[in-house]
Amino acid sequence: MSIVEIRKSGALHGEIEVPGDKSISHRSVMLGAIAEGETRAEHFLMSADCLSTISCFRQLGIQVDVDRQGDAVTIHGKGLHGLKPSGETLYTGNSGTTTRILSGILAGQDFTSTVNGDESIQTRPMGRIMAPLTQMGACVVSLRGNDCTPLTITGGNLHGIDYLSPVASAQVKSCVLLAGLYADRPTSVTEPSLSRNHTELMLNGFGAKVSSSGHEGAWKASVEPEPVLFGRHIVVPGDISSAAYFIAAALIVPGSEVLVKNVGINPTRAGLLKVVKDMGGDVTIVSEYDRGGEKAADLLVRSSSLHGTKIGGEIIPTLIDEIPVIAVLAAYAEGTTVITDAKELKVKESDRIATVTENLTAMGADVTPQDDGMIIRGGHPLHAADVDSHKDHRIAMSLAAAALAAEKSTAGTECTRIKDADCVLISYPGFYEDLRSLCL
Ligand code: S3P
Protein backbone atom coordinates (compact mmCIF):
# COMPACT_ATOMS: atom_id res chain seq x y z
CA MET A 1 0.00 0.00 0.00
CA SER A 2 1.43 3.39 -0.94
CA ILE A 3 0.39 6.63 0.71
CA VAL A 4 0.98 10.10 -0.68
CA GLU A 5 0.55 13.13 1.59
CA ILE A 6 -0.53 16.46 0.14
CA ARG A 7 -0.96 19.71 2.05
CA LYS A 8 -2.58 23.03 1.17
CA SER A 9 -0.54 24.83 -1.47
CA GLY A 10 0.26 28.41 -2.30
CA ALA A 11 -0.66 29.62 -5.79
CA LEU A 12 0.27 27.32 -8.69
CA HIS A 13 2.50 28.86 -11.36
CA GLY A 14 4.30 27.68 -14.47
CA GLU A 15 3.86 25.51 -17.52
CA ILE A 16 3.08 21.84 -17.83
CA GLU A 17 2.84 19.45 -20.75
CA VAL A 18 0.79 16.36 -19.94
CA PRO A 19 1.62 12.87 -21.30
CA GLY A 20 0.02 11.50 -24.45
CA ASP A 21 -3.65 10.64 -24.69
CA LYS A 22 -4.41 7.18 -23.31
CA SER A 23 -7.21 6.35 -25.75
CA ILE A 24 -5.16 7.40 -28.79
CA SER A 25 -2.02 5.61 -27.53
CA HIS A 26 -3.93 2.30 -27.17
CA ARG A 27 -5.45 2.66 -30.62
CA SER A 28 -2.13 3.46 -32.28
CA VAL A 29 -0.76 0.07 -31.15
CA MET A 30 -3.93 -1.83 -32.09
CA LEU A 31 -4.31 -0.32 -35.57
CA GLY A 32 -0.53 -0.35 -36.12
CA ALA A 33 -0.53 -4.11 -35.45
CA ILE A 34 -3.14 -4.89 -38.10
CA ALA A 35 -1.77 -2.42 -40.66
CA GLU A 36 0.86 -3.17 -43.32
CA GLY A 37 4.30 -1.79 -42.49
CA GLU A 38 5.56 0.40 -39.71
CA THR A 39 3.60 2.72 -37.44
CA ARG A 40 5.51 5.12 -35.23
CA ALA A 41 3.64 6.83 -32.40
CA GLU A 42 5.36 9.76 -30.69
CA HIS A 43 4.38 11.33 -27.36
CA PHE A 44 3.00 7.87 -26.65
CA LEU A 45 1.67 7.37 -23.11
CA MET A 46 4.13 5.04 -21.30
CA SER A 47 1.72 4.04 -18.57
CA ALA A 48 0.65 0.64 -17.23
CA ASP A 49 -2.56 0.52 -19.29
CA CYS A 50 -0.87 1.20 -22.62
CA LEU A 51 1.96 -1.20 -21.78
CA SER A 52 -0.73 -3.87 -21.28
CA THR A 53 -1.90 -3.27 -24.84
CA ILE A 54 1.68 -3.55 -26.12
CA SER A 55 2.29 -6.80 -24.27
CA CYS A 56 -0.94 -8.37 -25.61
CA PHE A 57 0.04 -7.57 -29.21
CA ARG A 58 3.56 -8.92 -28.63
CA GLN A 59 1.89 -12.15 -27.49
CA LEU A 60 -0.04 -12.11 -30.77
CA GLY A 61 3.24 -12.06 -32.71
CA ILE A 62 3.68 -8.33 -33.30
CA GLN A 63 7.05 -6.67 -32.79
CA VAL A 64 6.69 -3.42 -30.85
CA ASP A 65 9.84 -1.39 -30.13
CA VAL A 66 9.56 0.88 -27.13
CA ASP A 67 11.76 3.96 -26.78
CA ARG A 68 11.00 5.04 -23.21
CA GLN A 69 13.40 8.01 -23.27
CA GLY A 70 11.79 9.37 -26.42
CA ASP A 71 8.20 8.43 -25.44
CA ALA A 72 7.84 6.69 -28.79
CA VAL A 73 6.81 3.24 -29.99
CA THR A 74 7.30 1.58 -33.35
CA ILE A 75 4.83 -1.13 -34.28
CA HIS A 76 5.80 -3.55 -37.03
CA GLY A 77 2.37 -4.29 -38.47
CA LYS A 78 1.54 -7.59 -40.13
CA GLY A 79 -1.68 -6.62 -41.88
CA LEU A 80 -5.29 -7.45 -41.13
CA HIS A 81 -4.68 -11.22 -41.12
CA GLY A 82 -1.17 -11.35 -39.67
CA LEU A 83 -1.83 -12.02 -35.96
CA LYS A 84 -0.75 -15.38 -34.51
CA PRO A 85 -2.49 -17.26 -31.70
CA SER A 86 -0.93 -16.89 -28.26
CA GLY A 87 -0.41 -20.02 -26.17
CA GLU A 88 -0.99 -17.94 -23.02
CA THR A 89 -3.85 -15.86 -21.65
CA LEU A 90 -3.70 -12.31 -22.97
CA TYR A 91 -3.32 -10.24 -19.79
CA THR A 92 -4.98 -6.82 -20.01
CA GLY A 93 -4.12 -5.60 -16.49
CA ASN A 94 -6.43 -2.82 -15.28
CA SER A 95 -7.34 -1.68 -18.78
CA GLY A 96 -10.98 -1.78 -19.86
CA THR A 97 -9.97 -0.23 -23.18
CA THR A 98 -7.46 -3.00 -23.93
CA THR A 99 -9.89 -5.71 -22.86
CA ARG A 100 -12.89 -4.53 -24.85
CA ILE A 101 -11.29 -3.20 -28.02
CA LEU A 102 -8.79 -6.06 -28.32
CA SER A 103 -11.75 -8.48 -28.05
CA GLY A 104 -13.18 -6.97 -31.25
CA ILE A 105 -9.95 -7.71 -33.13
CA LEU A 106 -9.76 -11.22 -31.65
CA ALA A 107 -13.32 -11.90 -32.82
CA GLY A 108 -12.02 -11.48 -36.38
CA GLN A 109 -9.28 -14.15 -35.99
CA ASP A 110 -9.88 -17.78 -36.86
CA PHE A 111 -8.24 -19.00 -33.65
CA THR A 112 -9.15 -19.06 -29.96
CA SER A 113 -7.80 -16.56 -27.44
CA THR A 114 -8.28 -16.13 -23.71
CA VAL A 115 -8.40 -12.63 -22.25
CA ASN A 116 -8.18 -11.70 -18.58
CA GLY A 117 -7.12 -8.78 -16.42
CA ASP A 118 -6.63 -7.79 -12.78
CA GLU A 119 -9.19 -8.01 -9.93
CA SER A 120 -10.93 -4.81 -11.03
CA ILE A 121 -11.20 -5.91 -14.69
CA GLN A 122 -12.69 -9.21 -13.55
CA THR A 123 -15.69 -7.33 -12.11
CA ARG A 124 -16.32 -5.04 -15.09
CA PRO A 125 -19.21 -5.77 -17.47
CA MET A 126 -18.26 -7.55 -20.69
CA GLY A 127 -21.82 -8.53 -21.67
CA ARG A 128 -21.88 -5.25 -23.61
CA ILE A 129 -19.26 -6.59 -26.05
CA MET A 130 -20.23 -10.26 -25.83
CA ALA A 131 -23.71 -9.50 -27.24
CA PRO A 132 -22.67 -7.78 -30.50
CA LEU A 133 -19.66 -10.05 -31.11
CA THR A 134 -21.91 -13.11 -30.69
CA GLN A 135 -24.44 -11.58 -33.11
CA MET A 136 -21.60 -11.25 -35.61
CA GLY A 137 -20.89 -14.97 -35.30
CA ALA A 138 -17.96 -15.08 -32.84
CA CYS A 139 -18.06 -17.52 -29.94
CA VAL A 140 -17.40 -15.52 -26.77
CA VAL A 141 -17.60 -17.33 -23.46
CA SER A 142 -17.30 -15.81 -19.99
CA LEU A 143 -15.50 -18.66 -18.24
CA ARG A 144 -17.15 -17.94 -14.87
CA GLY A 145 -20.55 -17.38 -16.47
CA ASN A 146 -20.83 -13.86 -15.00
CA ASP A 147 -20.35 -11.81 -18.20
CA CYS A 148 -16.93 -10.71 -16.93
CA THR A 149 -13.39 -11.88 -17.80
CA PRO A 150 -11.82 -14.36 -18.21
CA LEU A 151 -13.28 -14.60 -21.72
CA THR A 152 -12.44 -17.08 -24.42
CA ILE A 153 -12.99 -15.76 -27.92
CA THR A 154 -13.11 -17.96 -30.99
CA GLY A 155 -13.46 -15.81 -34.07
CA GLY A 156 -13.58 -15.86 -37.83
CA ASN A 157 -16.33 -15.89 -40.49
CA LEU A 158 -18.02 -12.79 -39.06
CA HIS A 159 -21.22 -11.27 -40.42
CA GLY A 160 -21.64 -7.52 -40.65
CA ILE A 161 -24.38 -6.18 -38.34
CA ASP A 162 -26.16 -2.92 -37.63
CA TYR A 163 -25.77 -2.75 -33.89
CA LEU A 164 -27.96 -0.54 -31.73
CA SER A 165 -25.87 -0.02 -28.61
CA PRO A 166 -27.83 0.62 -25.40
CA VAL A 167 -24.85 2.59 -23.98
CA ALA A 168 -22.77 5.45 -25.33
CA SER A 169 -19.41 3.70 -25.04
CA ALA A 170 -16.39 4.21 -27.25
CA GLN A 171 -15.03 0.88 -26.10
CA VAL A 172 -18.15 -0.96 -27.32
CA LYS A 173 -18.28 1.08 -30.54
CA SER A 174 -14.58 0.50 -31.26
CA CYS A 175 -14.85 -3.22 -30.47
CA VAL A 176 -17.68 -3.70 -32.96
CA LEU A 177 -16.13 -1.50 -35.67
CA LEU A 178 -12.80 -3.37 -35.47
CA ALA A 179 -14.61 -6.72 -35.63
CA GLY A 180 -16.42 -5.23 -38.62
CA LEU A 181 -13.10 -5.00 -40.50
CA TYR A 182 -13.26 -8.83 -40.68
CA ALA A 183 -16.97 -9.17 -41.60
CA ASP A 184 -18.71 -10.16 -44.83
CA ARG A 185 -20.54 -6.85 -45.25
CA PRO A 186 -20.45 -3.33 -43.73
CA THR A 187 -20.99 -3.01 -39.98
CA SER A 188 -22.50 -0.08 -38.13
CA VAL A 189 -22.94 0.92 -34.51
CA THR A 190 -25.59 3.39 -33.41
CA GLU A 191 -25.25 4.84 -29.92
CA PRO A 192 -27.57 7.10 -27.88
CA SER A 193 -24.98 9.90 -27.44
CA LEU A 194 -21.76 10.43 -29.34
CA SER A 195 -18.82 8.83 -27.51
CA ARG A 196 -15.17 9.63 -28.28
CA ASN A 197 -14.44 9.12 -31.98
CA HIS A 198 -10.69 8.42 -31.99
CA THR A 199 -11.17 4.97 -33.56
CA GLU A 200 -13.18 6.38 -36.46
CA LEU A 201 -10.63 9.17 -37.08
CA MET A 202 -7.63 6.85 -36.82
CA LEU A 203 -9.17 4.10 -38.96
CA ASN A 204 -9.75 6.62 -41.74
CA GLY A 205 -6.16 7.84 -41.34
CA PHE A 206 -4.91 4.27 -41.82
CA GLY A 207 -6.94 3.88 -45.02
CA ALA A 208 -10.19 2.25 -43.87
CA LYS A 209 -13.57 3.60 -44.94
CA VAL A 210 -15.52 4.79 -41.90
CA SER A 211 -18.47 7.14 -42.11
CA SER A 212 -20.21 8.90 -39.26
CA SER A 213 -23.56 10.66 -39.05
CA GLY A 214 -26.17 11.38 -36.45
CA HIS A 215 -28.40 13.64 -34.43
CA GLU A 216 -29.52 13.83 -30.82
CA GLY A 217 -30.34 10.33 -29.55
CA ALA A 218 -28.84 8.35 -32.48
CA TRP A 219 -25.20 8.57 -33.58
CA LYS A 220 -24.04 6.11 -36.19
CA ALA A 221 -20.58 5.00 -37.32
CA SER A 222 -20.18 2.49 -40.19
CA VAL A 223 -17.14 0.63 -41.49
CA GLU A 224 -16.46 -1.23 -44.74
CA PRO A 225 -14.87 -4.68 -44.35
CA GLU A 226 -11.45 -5.93 -45.48
CA PRO A 227 -9.61 -2.64 -46.04
CA VAL A 228 -5.86 -2.56 -46.58
CA LEU A 229 -4.55 -0.54 -43.64
CA PHE A 230 -1.22 1.27 -44.00
CA GLY A 231 1.09 2.05 -41.08
CA ARG A 232 1.62 5.74 -40.42
CA HIS A 233 3.31 8.34 -38.27
CA ILE A 234 1.23 9.49 -35.31
CA VAL A 235 1.93 12.33 -32.89
CA VAL A 236 -0.32 11.69 -29.90
CA PRO A 237 -1.81 14.87 -28.39
CA GLY A 238 -1.68 15.36 -24.60
CA ASP A 239 -4.49 13.73 -22.67
CA ILE A 240 -7.26 16.14 -21.61
CA SER A 241 -8.22 13.64 -18.92
CA SER A 242 -4.74 14.12 -17.38
CA ALA A 243 -4.74 17.88 -17.99
CA ALA A 244 -8.03 18.08 -16.06
CA TYR A 245 -6.27 17.74 -12.66
CA PHE A 246 -3.98 20.70 -13.33
CA ILE A 247 -6.85 22.76 -14.74
CA ALA A 248 -8.88 22.03 -11.59
CA ALA A 249 -5.98 22.68 -9.21
CA ALA A 250 -5.21 26.03 -10.86
CA LEU A 251 -8.89 27.04 -10.75
CA ILE A 252 -9.36 26.31 -7.03
CA VAL A 253 -6.05 27.48 -5.54
CA PRO A 254 -6.24 31.29 -5.27
CA GLY A 255 -3.72 33.33 -7.24
CA SER A 256 -2.79 30.49 -9.62
CA GLU A 257 -1.90 30.91 -13.27
CA VAL A 258 -0.83 27.81 -15.22
CA LEU A 259 -0.25 27.14 -18.91
CA VAL A 260 -1.25 23.56 -19.77
CA LYS A 261 0.34 22.77 -23.13
CA ASN A 262 -0.59 20.40 -25.95
CA VAL A 263 -3.99 19.27 -24.66
CA GLY A 264 -6.18 17.22 -27.02
CA ILE A 265 -9.45 19.08 -27.49
CA ASN A 266 -11.33 16.73 -29.82
CA PRO A 267 -14.97 17.87 -29.30
CA THR A 268 -16.00 14.33 -28.29
CA ARG A 269 -13.57 14.65 -25.34
CA ALA A 270 -13.65 18.31 -24.37
CA GLY A 271 -16.89 18.58 -22.37
CA LEU A 272 -14.81 19.61 -19.36
CA LEU A 273 -13.96 22.93 -21.01
CA LYS A 274 -17.64 23.77 -21.50
CA VAL A 275 -18.49 22.85 -17.91
CA VAL A 276 -15.61 24.90 -16.52
CA LYS A 277 -16.84 27.88 -18.54
CA ASP A 278 -20.40 27.34 -17.28
CA MET A 279 -19.02 27.35 -13.72
CA GLY A 280 -17.26 30.69 -14.27
CA GLY A 281 -13.77 29.24 -14.66
CA ASP A 282 -11.11 31.26 -16.48
CA VAL A 283 -9.61 28.94 -19.12
CA THR A 284 -8.41 30.45 -22.39
CA ILE A 285 -7.23 28.67 -25.52
CA VAL A 286 -4.01 30.53 -26.36
CA SER A 287 -3.03 28.52 -29.42
CA GLU A 288 -4.56 25.66 -31.34
CA TYR A 289 -2.98 23.11 -33.68
CA ASP A 290 -3.69 19.89 -35.56
CA ARG A 291 -2.23 16.52 -34.59
CA GLY A 292 -3.11 14.37 -37.62
CA GLY A 293 -6.84 15.03 -37.53
CA GLU A 294 -6.99 15.42 -33.72
CA LYS A 295 -7.14 19.01 -32.43
CA ALA A 296 -4.82 20.13 -29.62
CA ALA A 297 -4.37 23.42 -27.79
CA ASP A 298 -2.42 25.27 -25.11
CA LEU A 299 -4.72 26.33 -22.27
CA LEU A 300 -4.10 29.22 -19.90
CA VAL A 301 -5.85 28.64 -16.58
CA ARG A 302 -6.31 31.28 -13.88
CA SER A 303 -7.88 30.74 -10.46
CA SER A 304 -11.54 31.72 -10.43
CA SER A 305 -14.61 32.01 -8.21
CA LEU A 306 -16.73 29.10 -9.37
CA HIS A 307 -20.46 28.55 -9.17
CA GLY A 308 -22.61 25.42 -9.43
CA THR A 309 -24.07 24.09 -12.68
CA LYS A 310 -26.20 21.30 -14.17
CA ILE A 311 -24.47 18.55 -16.15
CA GLY A 312 -26.45 15.85 -17.97
CA GLY A 313 -27.57 14.47 -21.33
CA GLU A 314 -25.41 14.33 -24.44
CA ILE A 315 -22.41 16.07 -22.86
CA ILE A 316 -21.82 13.19 -20.43
CA PRO A 317 -19.72 10.88 -22.70
CA THR A 318 -17.51 13.88 -23.60
CA LEU A 319 -16.42 14.26 -19.96
CA ILE A 320 -17.15 10.88 -18.40
CA ASP A 321 -13.60 10.37 -17.03
CA GLU A 322 -13.48 13.95 -15.73
CA ILE A 323 -16.56 13.69 -13.49
CA PRO A 324 -14.54 12.91 -10.32
CA VAL A 325 -12.48 16.09 -10.77
CA ILE A 326 -15.57 18.08 -11.81
CA ALA A 327 -17.05 16.97 -8.47
CA VAL A 328 -14.00 18.52 -6.79
CA LEU A 329 -14.61 21.80 -8.63
CA ALA A 330 -18.27 21.65 -7.59
CA ALA A 331 -17.29 21.15 -3.95
CA TYR A 332 -15.19 24.34 -4.12
CA ALA A 333 -17.90 26.28 -6.02
CA GLU A 334 -20.71 28.37 -4.54
CA GLY A 335 -24.15 26.84 -5.00
CA THR A 336 -25.32 23.44 -6.14
CA THR A 337 -24.07 21.23 -8.97
CA VAL A 338 -26.32 18.44 -10.23
CA ILE A 339 -24.84 15.63 -12.33
CA THR A 340 -27.30 13.27 -14.08
CA ASP A 341 -27.27 10.61 -16.85
CA ALA A 342 -23.92 9.30 -15.62
CA LYS A 343 -24.81 5.77 -14.50
CA GLU A 344 -21.72 4.54 -16.37
CA LEU A 345 -19.65 5.92 -13.47
CA LYS A 346 -20.68 2.85 -11.48
CA VAL A 347 -18.79 0.48 -13.81
CA LYS A 348 -15.47 2.30 -14.18
CA GLU A 349 -12.20 1.32 -12.41
CA SER A 350 -14.22 1.85 -9.20
CA ASP A 351 -17.87 2.75 -8.62
CA ARG A 352 -17.06 6.43 -9.01
CA ILE A 353 -20.39 7.66 -7.64
CA ALA A 354 -19.58 5.82 -4.39
CA THR A 355 -15.84 6.58 -4.26
CA VAL A 356 -16.26 10.30 -5.04
CA THR A 357 -19.02 10.60 -2.44
CA GLU A 358 -17.06 8.74 0.26
CA ASN A 359 -13.86 10.74 -0.20
CA LEU A 360 -15.23 14.24 -0.73
CA THR A 361 -17.54 13.71 2.25
CA ALA A 362 -14.48 12.74 4.34
CA MET A 363 -12.97 16.10 3.31
CA GLY A 364 -16.08 17.99 4.47
CA ALA A 365 -18.01 18.37 1.19
CA ASP A 366 -21.78 17.97 0.97
CA VAL A 367 -22.33 15.23 -1.67
CA THR A 368 -25.53 13.23 -2.16
CA PRO A 369 -25.08 10.19 -4.40
CA GLN A 370 -27.81 9.49 -6.95
CA ASP A 371 -28.47 6.43 -9.08
CA ASP A 372 -27.15 8.22 -12.18
CA GLY A 373 -24.91 10.92 -10.75
CA MET A 374 -24.63 13.13 -7.70
CA ILE A 375 -25.71 16.41 -6.14
CA ILE A 376 -22.92 18.53 -4.70
CA ARG A 377 -23.77 21.51 -2.54
CA GLY A 378 -20.71 23.72 -2.68
CA GLY A 379 -19.51 26.44 -0.37
CA HIS A 380 -18.46 24.18 2.54
CA PRO A 381 -14.74 24.59 3.11
CA LEU A 382 -12.89 21.32 2.49
CA HIS A 383 -10.32 20.08 4.98
CA ALA A 384 -7.43 17.61 4.94
CA ALA A 385 -8.43 14.00 5.60
CA ASP A 386 -7.42 10.38 5.13
CA VAL A 387 -8.88 9.31 1.79
CA ASP A 388 -8.89 6.10 -0.24
CA SER A 389 -8.31 5.92 -4.00
CA HIS A 390 -9.80 2.41 -4.10
CA LYS A 391 -6.92 1.81 -6.58
CA ASP A 392 -8.70 4.03 -9.10
CA HIS A 393 -6.21 6.38 -10.78
CA ARG A 394 -8.78 9.08 -11.54
CA ILE A 395 -9.95 9.13 -7.92
CA ALA A 396 -6.37 9.46 -6.61
CA MET A 397 -5.57 12.37 -8.96
CA SER A 398 -8.87 14.16 -8.27
CA LEU A 399 -8.22 13.95 -4.52
CA ALA A 400 -4.67 15.24 -5.00
CA ALA A 401 -6.10 18.34 -6.74
CA ALA A 402 -8.72 18.76 -3.99
CA ALA A 403 -6.03 18.48 -1.28
CA LEU A 404 -4.11 21.48 -2.64
CA ALA A 405 -6.89 23.84 -1.51
CA ALA A 406 -7.98 21.96 1.65
CA GLU A 407 -7.66 23.65 5.07
CA LYS A 408 -6.23 22.13 8.24
CA SER A 409 -8.86 19.83 9.83
CA THR A 410 -10.38 20.60 13.26
CA ALA A 411 -8.31 17.69 14.59
CA GLY A 412 -5.21 19.61 13.41
CA THR A 413 -4.43 17.41 10.37
CA GLU A 414 -2.64 19.43 7.71
CA CYS A 415 -2.05 16.71 5.12
CA THR A 416 -4.52 14.79 3.01
CA ARG A 417 -3.26 11.22 2.96
CA ILE A 418 -4.21 9.31 -0.21
CA LYS A 419 -4.26 5.52 0.19
CA ASP A 420 -3.00 3.38 -2.72
CA ALA A 421 -1.80 6.57 -4.36
CA ASP A 422 0.51 4.68 -6.74
CA CYS A 423 -2.47 3.64 -8.87
CA VAL A 424 -1.69 6.80 -10.90
CA LEU A 425 0.78 4.53 -12.75
CA ILE A 426 -2.23 3.32 -14.76
CA SER A 427 -2.45 6.56 -16.73
CA TYR A 428 0.12 9.08 -15.43
CA PRO A 429 3.35 7.73 -13.89
CA GLY A 430 4.89 11.18 -13.16
CA PHE A 431 1.71 12.77 -11.84
CA TYR A 432 2.73 13.75 -8.28
CA GLU A 433 6.10 15.12 -9.44
CA ASP A 434 4.41 17.20 -12.15
CA LEU A 435 1.85 18.53 -9.65
CA ARG A 436 4.57 19.45 -7.17
CA SER A 437 6.51 21.28 -9.89
CA LEU A 438 3.68 23.83 -10.14
CA CYS A 439 3.25 24.39 -6.40
CA LEU A 440 5.10 27.18 -4.61
C1 S3P B 1 -12.33 4.89 -23.43
C2 S3P B 1 -13.68 5.00 -23.36
C3 S3P B 1 -14.42 5.33 -22.14
C4 S3P B 1 -13.51 5.89 -21.08
C5 S3P B 1 -12.24 5.11 -20.94
C6 S3P B 1 -11.47 5.12 -22.25
C7 S3P B 1 -11.70 4.54 -24.72
O1 S3P B 1 -15.01 4.15 -21.64
O2 S3P B 1 -14.17 5.95 -19.83
O3 S3P B 1 -11.42 5.65 -19.92
O4 S3P B 1 -10.47 4.70 -24.86
O5 S3P B 1 -12.43 4.13 -25.62
P1 S3P B 1 -16.44 3.62 -22.15
O6 S3P B 1 -16.31 3.21 -23.55
O7 S3P B 1 -16.74 2.44 -21.25
O8 S3P B 1 -17.37 4.76 -21.94
Side-chain angles (χ1 to χ4, degrees):
M1 184 176 75
S2 71
I3 294 205
V4 164
E5 297 190 341
I6 299 183
R7 64 178 68 232
K8 189 169 189 250
S9 169
L12 274 62
H13 280 286
E15 290 183 10
I16 184 96
E17 180 169 2
V18 291
D21 186 274
K22 182 152 81 69
S23 296
I24 297 174
S25 296
H26 281 301
R27 287 158 171 79
S28 63
V29 176
M30 295 182 186
L31 295 196
I34 57 170
E36 311 277 348
E38 245 178 56
T39 290
R40 183 170 167 82
E42 286 171 18
H43 201 50
F44 183 89
L45 174 63
M46 295 290 173
S47 77
D49 265 12
C50 299
L51 295 175
S52 293
T53 294
I54 291 177
S55 94
C56 288
F57 278 91
R58 282 181 173 154
Q59 280 185 259
L60 293 163
I62 300 298
Q63 184 188 334
V64 183
D65 305 329
V66 173
D67 167 8
R68 276 182 182 265
Q69 301 300 306
D71 283 342
V73 295
T74 304
I75 304 113
H76 301 267
K78 291 211 169 144
L80 211 51
H81 298 280
L83 299 180
K84 298 266 175 311
S86 167
E88 309 278 325
T89 296
L90 299 164
Y91 183 70
T92 59
N94 189 249
S95 175
T97 306
T98 312
T99 310
R100 297 200 179 104
I101 306 187
L102 170 64
S103 296
I105 295 177
L106 295 175
Q109 313 304 316
D110 56 7
F111 53 75
T112 300
S113 308
T114 305
V115 178
N116 201 9
D118 68 5
E119 255 176 49
S120 153
I121 278 293
Q122 290 176 39
T123 65
R124 295 185 65 187
M126 294 297 150
R128 55 181 60 194
I129 56 158
M130 292 170 70
L133 294 180
T134 305
Q135 272 182 40
M136 295 178 84
C139 177
V140 187
V141 179
S142 161
L143 292 180
R144 297 196 187 113
N146 59 356
D147 283 0
C148 296
T149 66
L151 301 178
T152 60
I153 302 172
T154 308
N157 295 320
L158 297 186
H159 312 297
I161 59 170
D162 293 301
Y163 186 61
L164 204 54
S165 176
V167 281
S169 158
Q171 292 174 0
V172 171
K173 175 173 62 177
S174 305
C175 168
V176 177
L177 291 178
L178 292 185
L181 298 176
Y182 298 90
D184 57 1
R185 70 172 188 88
T187 291
S188 74
V189 182
T190 302
E191 51 182 353
S193 309
L194 182 59
S195 65
R196 63 192 69 190
N197 64 357
H198 306 301
T199 301
E200 297 92 301
L201 293 178
M202 203 185 277
L203 269 173
N204 276 330
F206 273 78
K209 283 207 179 80
V210 180
S211 55
S212 307
S213 59
H215 52 79
E216 207 179 321
W219 298 89
K220 185 172 179 175
S222 313
V223 68
E224 302 278 333
E226 292 295 334
V228 180
L229 303 176
F230 295 103
R232 52 178 287 224
H233 182 225
I234 294 169
V235 181
V236 181
D239 197 327
I240 190 168
S241 299
S242 300
Y245 309 105
F246 302 109
I247 295 173
L251 286 170
I252 62 178
V253 176
S256 299
E257 183 169 313
V258 172
L259 184 66
V260 193
K261 293 170 76 174
N262 183 22
V263 181
I265 55 162
N266 175 324
T268 65
R269 289 290 299 285
L272 169 75
L273 299 182
K274 178 172 186 305
V275 165
V276 162
K277 198 167 170 207
D278 289 348
M279 296 180 85
D282 183 354
V283 178
T284 316
I285 295 183
V286 289
S287 59
E288 216 175 299
Y289 30 97
D290 183 78
R291 290 268 180 265
E294 293 276 356
K295 270 206 282 181
D298 296 344
L299 306 174
L300 182 65
V301 189
R302 295 194 190 93
S303 60
S304 313
S305 303
L306 302 174
H307 49 78
T309 187
K310 282 200 169 73
I311 308 166
E314 298 239 338
I315 197 172
I316 292 293
T318 72
L319 47 68
I320 189 71
D321 291 341
E322 289 66 75
I323 292 181
V325 79
I326 288 173
V328 169
L329 291 176
Y332 280 102
E334 284 301 322
T336 301
T337 295
V338 181
I339 302 171
T340 54
D341 305 316
K343 227 181 187 147
E344 279 292 299
L345 291 175
K346 291 184 167 178
V347 292
K348 294 294 177 187
E349 287 83 329
S350 68
D351 172 348
R352 289 183 178 158
I353 295 180
T355 50
V356 166
T357 303
E358 171 198 308
N359 285 304
L360 289 184
T361 304
M363 295 180 78
D366 180 349
V367 184
T368 310
Q370 305 285 295
D371 189 45
D372 69 343
M374 51 197 121
I375 301 171
I376 300 145
R377 293 180 186 82
H380 302 266
L382 265 58
H383 56 74
D386 283 358
V387 292
D388 187 347
S389 69
H390 293 272
K391 301 188 178 161
D392 180 336
H393 56 132
R394 305 229 175 269
I395 298 297
M397 291 187 276
S398 300
L399 294 170
L404 293 177
E407 305 293 336
K408 189 175 180 177
S409 74
T410 44
T413 313
E414 281 193 34
C415 281
T416 294
R417 290 160 47 88
I418 305 173
K419 187 177 161 199
D420 289 322
D422 59 357
C423 61
V424 302
L425 293 173
I426 293 297
S427 65
Y428 197 156
F431 173 72
Y432 297 110
E433 293 75 11
D434 282 357
L435 192 60
R436 270 184 211 114
S437 76
L438 295 174
C439 296
L440 289 182

